[in-house]
Amino acid sequence: MLFDHPVQLEMQKADHSLIPAAIEELLRFNGPSTIAGPRYAKADIYYNSEIFKSTYEGLEPIQIIELKALMEDSSDNIPGVPGIGEKGAMGLMEVEPDYNTSL
């Protein structure tokens, strides 16, 4: 990409302190999703109540709402509780299954 812009390339060569910002900008512009291409699921996963409970350590399927609400996870656009991941949220739900009273 810098080879397409020789002036910018020469600036990077002359001043190495510009390199971290250039790397960040290059990754933002041409990051992993554009380099590797889109990702697709190989197969759909279907959960029944038993599979769900074994995957989420005994939680009922309806409790996934509370679990996601507690977890700080950028993938679902739900802010969650800062510093609480899946393991922490599961621990809180074990102690107090109703997340409204666990906070």
Side-chain angles (χ1 to χ4, degrees), residues 64-85:
I64 193 71
I65 298 166
E66 284 102 7
L67 181 69
K68 290 290 190 175
L70 284 170
M71 290 171 43
E72 182 182 34
D73 180 11
S74 62
S75 69
D76 59 12
N77 292 322
I78 300 170
V81 178
I84 301 289

